[in-house]
Amino acid sequence: MTVESLSRQRVLHLLDSFARGDLDAALACCTDDVDFLTHAPIDVLPHMVPRHGKTELRALWQTVWSRYSEVRYKTPHVVAEADAVATYMHAYFKKRSNGRIVQFDMAVFYSLRNGLVTEIREIIDSYDLVQQVLEREIGPLILGERAE
Amino acid sequence: MTEHSLWRFSRALHRAINDRHFEDIEALIDEDVDWALYGPIDMFPFLGARQGKQAVLDVIRQLADNFHVRRFDRENIMLGVDSAASMLRYSLTALDSDKPLSLRVAQFAQFRAGRLVNMRVLIDTFDLVEQALGRAIHLPKMTGVG
């Protein structure tokens, strides 16, 4: 098995573990000093601040699971090269509050060290994500601010 | 060693946007290309999904009409046999306002016989909209729901 296929397999295992809600198994795929960064409006989504280390990453994932009862991913594109993997994913999160599905695409870039994930970098269509989480369109709010 | 299709495509794309030289990029796009740049299409009409070479060339022309690429840095790059994924930091100038824009972009490309057949691009669009507006969007913190 090549390094690429091992790296790919490990990242997919992490995603499967997280989607099952098995945070211990997901964290076991990561180094102790795992570094997480997503590009999203943290003034609106304050839990999406950068996280460093397993304890902080567990806290983030627990927050996500406290708000969503079901997490599913489809990964139509996975590119692996040596100790790095990039996934393009369709994500579906079901809200606990009202059962609505938040559906968004995300790009996640993983770096691995000794077979464990040591860096996670995400890019999300954050404007759309905020609208779905908020359950309202942002455009009229922007226009409202202009009018004021 | 043959050059990866991504490098040829990237050079041609930037030449098209900055120099309005479209011949090179046209030769590198498959007739049946499947293309999507995700984001708010009501604010940025060149975003969204497109099918086919002509539709994609129209998008690239619109990008050339609206932006100049000042600089780009690849923060992550992964090359497969006929695929590539990269995370880039773009410094652009919006041509209508001469306003600088800084974007972080994820790009997933697939090639067949050296031509682009599939492209998916994700952008931190909330940040893009705030930069385009020139101010922050004030929304309530979603500490309990997001």
Side-chain angles (χ1 to χ4, degrees):
Chain A
M1 188 175 263
T2 62
V3 175
E4 281 81 6
S5 55
L6 269 173
S7 300
R8 175 192 174 107
Q9 197 177 67
R10 282 167 178 156
V11 164
L12 294 178
H13 179 65
L14 186 159
L15 288 169
D16 286 345
S17 301
F18 179 72
R20 285 197 315 272
D22 187 347
L23 301 189
D24 288 333
L27 287 165
C29 299
C30 303
T31 60
D32 288 339
D33 61 349
V34 60
D35 200 51
F36 170 89
L37 179 66
T38 191
H39 298 284
I42 56 172
D43 50 339
V44 182
L45 300 167
H47 62 285
M48 293 178 83
V49 293
R51 306 281 178 155
H52 189 74
K54 283 186 176 181
T55 304
E56 289 186 12
L57 190 55
R58 180 188 292 275
L60 165 66
W61 287 350
Q62 284 174 332
T63 302
V64 172
W65 268 103
S66 73
R67 295 172 187 179
Y68 299 93
S69 60
E70 190 182 325
V71 172
R72 286 185 292 124
Y73 294 112
K74 287 181 187 168
T75 49
H77 303 288
V78 182
V79 183
E81 186 180 2
D83 285 335
V85 179
T87 59
Y88 183 94
M89 295 190 283
H90 305 309
Y92 308 85
F93 286 31
K94 187 175 183 181
K95 288 184 179 182
R96 288 188 189 276
S97 58
N98 59 13
R100 288 190 179 173
I101 303 286
V102 175
Q103 181 182 335
F104 58 99
D105 287 8
M106 62 194 300
V108 191
F109 291 75
Y110 302 88
S111 300
L112 291 91
R113 188 176 67 226
N114 300 325
L116 295 173
V117 172
T118 192
E119 193 177 87
I120 305 171
R121 296 282 181 269
E122 294 182 351
I123 293 190
I124 304 170
D125 177 1
S126 47
Y127 186 87
D128 182 49
L129 174 64
V130 167
Q131 290 191 125
Q132 289 190 60
V133 170
L134 202 59
E135 295 179 15
R136 62 200 291 191
E137 290 192 16
I138 299 173
L141 298 175
I142 296 170
L143 293 173
E145 282 183 14
R146 273 184 187 155
E148 289 163 14
Chain B
M1 193 172 172
T2 313
E3 184 184 42
H4 196 282
S5 300
L6 177 72
W7 304 127
R8 278 195 300 278
F9 182 82
S10 180
R11 280 197 305 272
L13 179 64
H14 292 122
R15 199 165 171 214
I17 293 173
N18 278 357
D19 303 332
R20 303 192 63 81
H21 179 96
F22 299 103
E23 288 78 6
D24 291 351
I25 195 78
E26 192 173 348
L28 297 174
I29 298 174
D30 192 86
E31 290 293 339
D32 299 320
V33 63
D34 183 3
W35 167 284
L37 285 168
Y38 291 103
I41 56 174
D42 46 346
M43 292 185 73
F44 304 102
F46 45 84
L47 298 179
R50 301 289 191 280
Q51 287 285 332
K53 183 195 262 192
Q54 286 311 315
V56 169
L57 285 171
D58 285 346
V59 169
I60 293 170
R61 287 193 185 93
Q62 288 179 60
L63 291 171
D65 289 342
N66 286 281
F67 300 105
H68 176 82
V69 178
R70 289 201 316 278
R71 179 192 167 100
F72 72 98
D73 298 303
R74 290 185 194 278
E75 297 180 340
N76 292 87
I77 176 131
M78 278 143 247
L79 300 177
V81 177
D82 282 319
S83 60
S86 44
M87 187 182 286
L88 305 107
R89 184 88 188 167
Y90 269 101
S91 298
L92 307 173
T93 302
L95 296 178
D96 61 342
S97 61
D98 210 28
K99 193 186 290 185
L101 294 170
S102 178
L103 296 182
R104 193 166 266 110
V105 172
Q107 185 185 72
F108 286 71
Q110 288 184 316
F111 299 92
R112 188 171 55 224
R115 291 197 174 91
L116 184 77
V117 291
N118 189 293
M119 176 70 102
R120 292 289 180 271
V121 176
L122 282 170
I123 305 166
D124 178 3
T125 42
F126 196 90
D127 181 50
L128 170 64
V129 171
E130 286 192 322
Q131 288 187 61
L133 290 171
R135 60 184 169 79
I137 301 168
H138 297 292
L139 295 172
K141 278 192 181 183
M142 288 170 274
T143 49
V145 292

